[in-house]
Amino acid sequence: MLAAPNELFRALGDPTRRAIFERLVSEGEQTVRALTDHAGISQPAVSKHLGVLKTAGLVRDRPEGRQTHYSAEPKGLEPLVEWMKHYGAFWPERIDRLERLLEKMDE
């Protein structure tokens, strides 16, 4: 089940969580240890952030032995994309009105 946009905004609104998510997107699957080495915060803090991202549907985990590997879940962003499509429909009309206004100002 996909998360609501509010949950996604809350999850990605934190700069540390956003950095972890971006790292998983750009570099692929990683262990908590690898993420901790680059995050500059403790392993428990990274695990807590990963838990929030997982609840929001933005990451998935894969246990392997004593380690858990995390990867980005691109489908988790779908509610945000849909939300932006809805509000993005207003911009072309506003830009057209701005262009007409600028043309009138030039006359």
Side-chain angles (χ1 to χ4, degrees):
M1 183 171 163
L2 296 176
N6 285 348
E7 190 173 350
L8 295 172
F9 281 124
R10 185 179 66 80
L12 293 174
D14 181 278
T16 301
R17 283 194 289 270
R18 198 167 50 251
I20 291 171
F21 180 74
E22 288 173 358
R23 185 168 185 82
L24 290 171
V25 168
S26 66
E27 298 189 16
E29 184 180 86
Q30 297 193 23
T31 62
V32 175
R33 172 68 183 199
L35 290 167
T36 301
D37 289 346
H38 295 280
I41 57 176
S42 68
Q43 186 271 326
V46 169
S47 292
K48 186 174 180 180
H49 286 300
L50 285 167
V52 173
L53 291 169
K54 184 179 173 186
T55 299
L58 294 168
V59 300
R60 61 178 171 252
D61 59 355
R62 181 180 61 82
E64 184 178 295
R66 299 175 76 186
Q67 294 188 327
T68 302
H69 299 256
Y70 287 88
S71 58
E73 178 56 75
K75 288 183 180 178
L77 292 174
E78 284 180 11
L80 288 184
V81 171
E82 292 303 316
W83 185 85
M84 292 180 71
K85 279 182 188 175
H86 175 74
Y87 289 101
F90 296 106
W91 286 106
E93 181 184 334
R94 290 179 183 221
I95 290 172
D96 288 345
R97 285 191 308 196
L98 178 61
E99 283 179 352
R100 287 193 297 271
L101 176 64
L102 292 173
E103 287 172 3
K104 284 183 182 178
M105 291 174 69
D106 284 342
E107 293 176 355

